[in-house]
Amino acid sequence: MRTASQSVNASATMARTAYLEHFPEQYGPPERIAIARLPLTIGRAEDNDHRLYACAVSKHHAVLVRDDMGYVLRDLGSTNGTFVNGARVTERVLADGDIVHFGPLEFCFRDSSSNTGLDDNAGDVGATQALALTVPHSVIQGTQRLRELISHRAAEIVYQPIVDLRTRAVVAYEALGRGRHPALSRSPLGLFGLADECGLAVELSVLLRAMAVEQAAALPDGVKLFLNIHPRELLDADGKLLASLRALQAQPHRHDLVLEIPEASVTNVPAMGRTKESFAALGLQFAYDDFGAGQARLLELTDVPPHYLKLDIHVIQGIEALQPRQDLVKAVLGVAHTLGVQVIAEGVETEACAQTCLELGCNLGQGFLFGWPGPIVSHGG
């Protein structure tokens, strides 16, 4: 057990340490890459200082160095690129809180000696960051910080395109939230993991949807906007979800909204049928998300068919080399097409994967091959 003095010393050390933090799926514990020795090479090959296991990561993908400007990230001619805050870079000086992508893997760069805050009353942010990192499971502190994030709307929305695989035309965007509170993770997985623990997942989900619709004016005309529903919202017996959706529809917007429901949350066919009717009454479409991530719920698919079905990234990645996976997807596509459901392949990172999905009969795709999550520039109109 740490003593009080050891915790203080650890906080002081962390406040001077830079690292890359990766939040895996399913709210697992973060993976932290300490930046203790420079240069730090990152890639798929064994001789890197840190090895990443993903097919879209190049053998020698990027390197992190330090100069008089600070920590500098350089791409090493990678095939799929190095991205900082959604923009592809060849070289970039990193700032605390920047979101970095190597292939499909997302990391948050933290340099907790940085001293930025929400506003002038935020206090000693450097100390706050160190404390937050030292006591990551403090529910009291987590609740306080999340309430600050929600009340200050300290978040940003990024959008990832969904394309027609036949023409590569963008037909929709999925809105994704990122945190901007200096003492909390920017990663949505990290934020919602904490929000679940603190009982604030619904409030955070409502905020991110509202901000996504507000900022959707910059999206081009004719595309749809996919918005995420948190599993806890589907358990709401007080009508808060429908109230928040009515408020969304009351906002001025030019795009049809599609609500994404996690596949694991669809467990009650009669309840889902009633939810579908409520969505339809508000003029909203919906999608089953992450289909195939766990137990594929074919009963719900057939009895309460959605407008869209999103095949999970783990089903799609590498499908071009896996005939049994192709057979499974082809069977699901056959059922979906019979029901009039449009299927979206998630996690498309390579041309080979995109071509295989198209040959199987899947006409829509989403993934880094078509665009990274990022801000949308104004299209006018």
Side-chain angles (χ1 to χ4, degrees):
M1 178 180 295
R2 280 185 174 176
T3 65
S5 61
Q6 286 173 325
S7 295
V8 170
N9 290 338
S11 297
T13 300
M14 279 189 167
R16 296 192 300 269
T17 301
Y19 53 88
L20 290 166
E21 191 165 45
H22 170 58
F23 286 84
E25 296 187 10
Q26 305 303 324
Y27 310 137
E31 172 192 1
R32 188 168 294 176
I33 304 174
I35 304 174
R37 185 183 68 179
L38 293 169
L40 179 76
T41 58
I42 297 170
R44 198 175 74 248
E46 293 183 5
D47 59 349
N48 286 285
D49 296 307
H50 187 81
R51 191 179 183 189
L52 297 178
Y53 299 89
C55 63
V57 173
S58 294
K59 291 182 179 179
H60 299 95
H61 198 102
V63 62
L64 188 66
V65 300
R66 186 178 176 93
D67 61 17
D68 56 356
M69 297 292 292
Y71 289 96
V72 180
L73 181 65
R74 293 174 183 155
D75 183 75
L76 295 177
S78 64
T79 301
N80 293 305
T82 299
F83 291 74
V84 178
N85 299 326
R88 187 165 186 165
V89 300
T90 55
E91 181 172 302
R92 174 70 64 86
V93 178
L94 296 179
D96 179 54
D98 279 347
I99 297 297
V100 178
H101 282 93
F102 309 105
L105 302 181
E106 179 178 280
F107 292 81
C108 181
F109 173 75
R110 300 314 306 244
D111 180 6
S112 50
S113 62
S114 172
N115 190 28
T116 57
L118 288 174
D119 51 41
D120 293 337
N121 299 317
D124 186 347
V125 177
T128 299
Q129 289 173 328
L131 180 58
L133 293 169
T134 305
V135 193
H137 298 297
S138 169
V139 176
I140 294 175
Q141 184 184 64
T143 300
Q144 176 188 350
R145 299 308 179 201
L146 277 173
R147 291 196 183 281
E148 290 173 357
L149 183 152
I150 293 168
S151 63
H152 287 85
R153 296 167 68 89
E156 63 179 324
I157 305 299
V158 294
Y159 300 84
Q160 186 173 35
I162 298 171
V163 308
D164 186 320
L165 293 176
R166 297 162 295 187
T167 65
R168 301 299 171 92
V170 176
V171 297
Y173 287 90
E174 180 182 355
L176 301 163
R178 299 286 187 266
R180 293 186 59 208
H181 191 291
L184 295 176
S185 169
R186 286 177 60 107
S187 163
L189 294 175
L191 284 177
F192 275 105
L194 178 61
D196 276 327
E197 189 176 6
C198 298
L200 291 171
V202 171
E203 288 83 353
L204 179 59
S205 184
V206 169
L207 170 67
L208 296 179
R209 281 199 304 273
M211 293 181 64
V213 173
E214 289 170 9
Q215 298 173 24
L219 295 176
D221 290 334
V223 300
K224 296 189 177 185
L225 178 61
F226 281 64
L227 305 169
N228 286 283
I229 299 287
H230 191 274
R232 289 184 182 271
E233 295 182 276
L234 296 173
L235 302 175
D236 172 33
D238 300 324
K240 293 181 181 178
L241 173 60
L242 292 180
S244 73
L245 297 177
R246 291 190 192 97
L248 278 188
Q249 286 293 64
Q251 292 185 33
H253 63 84
R254 300 178 287 110
H255 306 94
D256 292 335
L257 305 181
V258 182
L259 306 173
E260 294 197 21
I261 298 175
E263 181 259 348
S265 301
V266 185
T267 58
N268 186 313
V269 173
M272 192 61 231
R274 292 190 293 271
T275 299
K276 179 178 181 178
E277 292 175 357
S278 299
F279 289 169
L282 293 173
L284 299 168
Q285 296 184 328
F286 75 101
Y288 290 153
D289 192 18
D290 303 326
F291 194 84
Q295 179 183 356
R297 303 184 183 280
L298 295 175
L299 182 62
E300 288 79 0
L301 173 61
T302 55
D303 287 11
V304 190
H307 299 87
Y308 294 90
L309 183 70
K310 301 188 79 175
L311 296 176
D312 186 70
I313 184 173
H314 294 102
V315 175
I316 296 302
Q317 286 189 335
I319 192 172
E320 63 274 17
L322 299 169
Q323 187 61 48
R325 189 92 57 83
Q326 294 178 29
D327 295 339
L328 173 63
V329 169
K330 191 171 184 178
V332 172
L333 285 166
V335 174
H337 291 165
T338 299
L339 297 170
V341 177
Q342 298 190 66
V343 179
I344 302 170
E346 291 191 289
V348 180
E349 298 176 3
T350 66
E351 287 291 348
C353 179
Q355 185 61 34
T356 299
C357 291
L358 188 57
E359 291 173 356
L360 291 172
C362 183
N363 295 329
L364 299 176
Q366 179 179 356
F368 299 143
L369 178 64
F370 313 117
W372 294 71
I376 299 296
V377 297
S378 177
H379 290 264

